[in-house]
Amino acid sequence: MKKELKIPRIKDGTVIDHITAGQALKVLRILGIPEGTKSIVSVAMYVKSKKMGKKDIVKVENRELDPEEVNKIALIAPKATINIIRDYKVAKKFRVHVPDEIVGIVRCPNPNCISNSEEPIESRFVVVRRDPLVIKCYYCERKPDNIADNII
Amino acid sequence: MSLKGKDIVSIRDLSKGEILEILNHAKEMIPVAKGKKKLKLLEGKILASLFFEPSTRTRLSFETAMHRLGGSVIGFADPSITSLRKGENIVDTIRMADAYSDVIVIRHPKEGTARMAAEFAEAPVINAGDGAGRHPTQCLLDLFTILMEKGKLEGMKVVLLGDLKYGRTVHSLAYALALFGAELVFVSPESLRMPKEIVEDCIELGVEPVSTTDLEKAIRDADVLYVTRIQKERFPDPTEYSRVIGSYKVDMNLLKHAKEDLIVMHPLPRIDEISPEVDKTRHAVYFKQAFNGVPVRMSILSKVLGG
Ligand SMILES: [Zn+2]
């Protein structure tokens, strides 16, 4: 059975492929979907993949995600690829890229960190290493062991 | 190279050259710190000393440094007397202090507060301790003490003793000593070993630290023994705590195994990790180390203020 049968092809929009298996719903949350979205969103989880064994796929209709918003996904799905679809064809294809600084996306797991208090600042992490991804809190310099669990 | 306007939040904010610049300048500050020479380098300058958590030793050392150089000090020593109790955020206090002063010294129980302050203040911010976090001026005065007593940092065999897991003073110090090519030996109970991360930092800087639980053996050819306190709270079992404390006590019996010119350091206050009989020996430099806080902080203040 072809995977196209599991998730319908879309006319216009974005397909996020090669998401780390099990992370699709988190990907949606990071992208702020479905909050206030008018798009149709389809999700396939634990799909067989030659490259990855198992993977998740997300399709968002009538919305072209821009690279910057998509890069947040790299935190939990570093191998994800983005396909921009126009009239059933792949118009653009790119890989996610972790930004040098991650602002307002990950909560610092250190309860004594100033970024977890009532101050007018956002959480902020600096990327120390990309593969495997290691990030460090700009404020307290702690490195969270589990990034996915600390996504805001 | 100029340190003018620079924030000093973590020892890692400073290059080797910048650290040396501060330490060399601190040497010239010694007679001024002792009151033997007058030097009004910072006349007309105001230091905002914001201690959201009491630390008499550090605060007095900064304030003395500022006064000795002809500057003046505003601020508070205890947050209970400020409006902070009424829920004003720290950032607003920083903004106010920034408007009134030329340099800000801040201590706060939450980690990362000094980094945040540096983001909001135009004036240079010096971290005087944030929670279990960083305390770069302590690190600088420790380096200065070794430099003054031993003449160099490179190649010195330094034993760091005590709670190496939670004591972040020793984390910064290990990093800084590795930066200067010192030889490092970490002595601690098994459960309070130096975190892997810090060991890796040292290795990256070209120093391969040795970790051991055997203090007697470690100090045999050591040049410096840096002692820190082991807190009782770290041990769920009180008998285990007593055993550990007993085996890491620095006393005359232990120092029999040391080189004659070994120096013993401690960030103070100490409880009973160093026996008082050691105070009278030439090994003890911890009181000198405490005094060194003043010339080092004079140097830092005058450097960041462009003096
Ligand atoms: Zn943090």
Side-chain angles (χ1 to χ4, degrees):
Chain A
M1 192 162 53
K2 282 183 171 180
K3 70 178 179 236
E4 275 78 4
L5 296 175
K6 285 183 195 158
I7 318 183
R9 288 177 68 193
I10 59 174
K11 184 171 179 286
D12 298 293
T14 307
V15 175
I16 309 168
D17 200 354
H18 303 109
I19 298 168
T20 313
Q23 300 291 339
L25 297 178
K26 268 199 184 120
V27 165
L28 293 179
R29 215 174 70 218
I30 290 175
L31 295 175
I33 297 169
E35 236 170 86
T37 190
K38 289 188 190 81
S39 321
I40 296 171
V41 179
S42 12
V43 175
M45 294 178 79
Y46 303 104
V47 178
K48 270 190 191 146
S49 158
K50 262 187 222 148
K51 261 197 283 178
M52 305 171 68
K54 290 240 172 19
K55 65 175 181 182
D56 289 2
I57 304 167
V58 166
K59 297 190 180 188
V60 185
E61 283 181 53
N62 300 320
R63 182 169 157 193
E64 291 191 8
L65 299 172
D66 65 74
E68 202 175 306
E69 83 187 299
V70 142
N71 279 338
K72 297 179 183 177
I73 299 171
L75 295 175
I76 55 164
K79 294 196 164 58
T81 49
I82 312 298
N83 302 277
I84 304 293
I85 311 291
R86 285 174 200 152
D87 200 19
Y88 297 107
K89 289 200 186 81
V90 177
K92 261 190 276 177
K93 185 168 182 155
F94 51 91
R95 284 177 158 276
V96 294
H97 176 81
V98 182
D100 294 334
E101 273 210 331
I102 298 150
V103 179
I105 301 166
V106 180
R107 185 186 304 104
C108 181
N110 174 9
N112 196 38
C113 176
I114 193 69
S115 68
N116 287 317
S117 62
E118 300 290 311
E119 297 294 331
I121 52 168
E122 282 193 279
S123 79
R124 188 164 158 192
F125 286 83
V126 181
V127 173
V128 181
R129 199 181 303 153
R130 285 175 190 277
D131 195 18
L133 184 64
V134 178
I135 61 175
K136 184 170 85 172
C137 176
Y138 173 76
Y139 295 101
C140 73
E141 295 183 1
R142 305 268 171 132
K143 297 168 187 162
D145 294 327
N146 189 332
I147 298 169
D149 282 355
N150 288 297
I151 288 176
I152 293 168
Chain B
M1 182 163 45
S2 170
L3 286 160
K4 187 176 179 181
K6 190 166 176 89
D7 301 309
I8 300 180
V9 174
S10 158
I11 193 71
R12 292 168 194 252
D13 294 347
L14 298 169
S15 68
K16 204 167 156 177
E18 288 170 330
I19 293 174
L20 280 173
E21 189 181 332
I22 290 169
L23 301 185
N24 288 332
H25 188 54
K27 274 185 209 166
E28 296 162 34
M29 293 292 117
I30 289 178
V32 190
K34 287 183 171 158
K36 286 181 183 153
K37 190 177 149 191
K38 296 239 179 304
L39 191 63
K40 301 293 171 201
L41 271 182
L42 300 181
E43 200 160 23
K45 300 284 188 192
I46 296 177
L47 160 72
S49 166
L50 313 181
F51 278 68
F52 292 88
E53 165 187 77
S55 172
T56 312
R57 191 179 308 273
T58 305
R59 184 174 59 83
L60 291 182
S61 167
F62 266 112
E63 294 183 3
T64 304
M66 194 65 185
H67 287 303
R68 286 283 195 207
L69 291 173
S72 41
V73 180
I74 57 167
F76 50 86
D78 181 349
S80 60
I81 57 166
T82 71
S83 59
L84 285 148
R85 287 274 175 226
K86 288 175 229 132
E88 180 182 356
N89 66 32
I90 303 163
V91 165
D92 286 355
T93 307
I94 301 297
R95 287 188 173 117
M96 176 199 70
D98 191 37
Y100 295 165
S101 67
D102 304 292
V103 57
I104 296 171
V105 169
I106 183 169
R107 185 177 178 105
H108 194 283
K110 281 200 179 289
E111 289 168 54
T113 308
R115 185 70 73 199
M116 177 183 73
E119 262 184 285
F120 285 89
E122 289 269 332
V125 170
I126 300 168
N127 185 5
D130 54 353
R134 300 149 294 193
H135 196 359
T137 63
Q138 176 72 47
C139 185
L140 288 165
L141 80 87
D142 291 339
L143 293 177
F144 182 69
T145 303
I146 299 173
L147 196 61
M148 291 303 287
E149 297 300 317
K150 294 289 176 189
K152 60 175 184 168
L153 295 162
E154 199 185 340
M156 287 291 111
K157 182 173 171 181
V158 182
V159 176
L160 300 181
L161 168 69
D163 176 357
L164 306 185
K165 184 174 181 187
Y166 299 100
R168 290 187 78 184
T169 307
V170 288
H171 299 173
S172 316
L173 188 57
Y175 164 84
L177 286 168
L179 189 64
F180 282 93
E183 207 184 308
L184 294 169
V185 183
F186 301 150
V187 183
S188 70
E190 204 60 60
S191 60
L192 297 175
R193 284 177 75 139
M194 188 65 90
K196 205 176 78 199
E197 207 182 300
I198 308 290
V199 175
E200 281 166 5
D201 281 351
C202 294
I203 293 171
E204 216 159 282
L205 291 166
V207 173
E208 194 96 29
V210 176
S211 286
T212 172
T213 54
D214 189 346
L215 174 60
E216 199 183 292
K217 206 171 136 203
I219 69 156
R220 269 182 200 160
D221 54 349
D223 300 297
V224 179
L225 172 61
Y226 194 97
V227 187
T228 62
R229 198 192 316 163
I230 296 177
Q231 284 168 316
K232 208 172 179 170
E233 304 89 89
R234 304 286 180 218
F235 292 86
D237 177 4
T239 52
E240 172 67 7
Y241 170 74
S242 311
R243 195 190 61 78
V244 162
I245 286 300
S247 57
Y248 291 136
K249 186 155 176 127
V250 177
D251 55 18
M252 297 312 290
N253 206 23
L254 175 81
L255 292 173
K256 277 196 310 219
H257 304 281
K259 288 203 297 196
E260 211 170 279
D261 63 350
L262 168 86
I263 58 168
V264 178
M265 297 173 66
H266 192 296
L268 301 181
R270 65 172 159 172
I271 306 294
D272 52 7
E273 50 280 7
I274 302 175
S275 153
E277 62 194 8
V278 177
D279 298 359
K280 298 185 286 288
T281 69
R282 48 190 293 200
H283 297 299
V285 301
Y286 28 90
F287 299 121
K288 239 191 264 180
Q289 183 186 355
F291 163 77
N292 284 341
V294 178
V296 167
R297 290 178 174 117
M298 288 168 84
S299 171
I300 294 167
L301 288 169
S302 60
K303 285 289 173 189
V304 301
L305 287 168

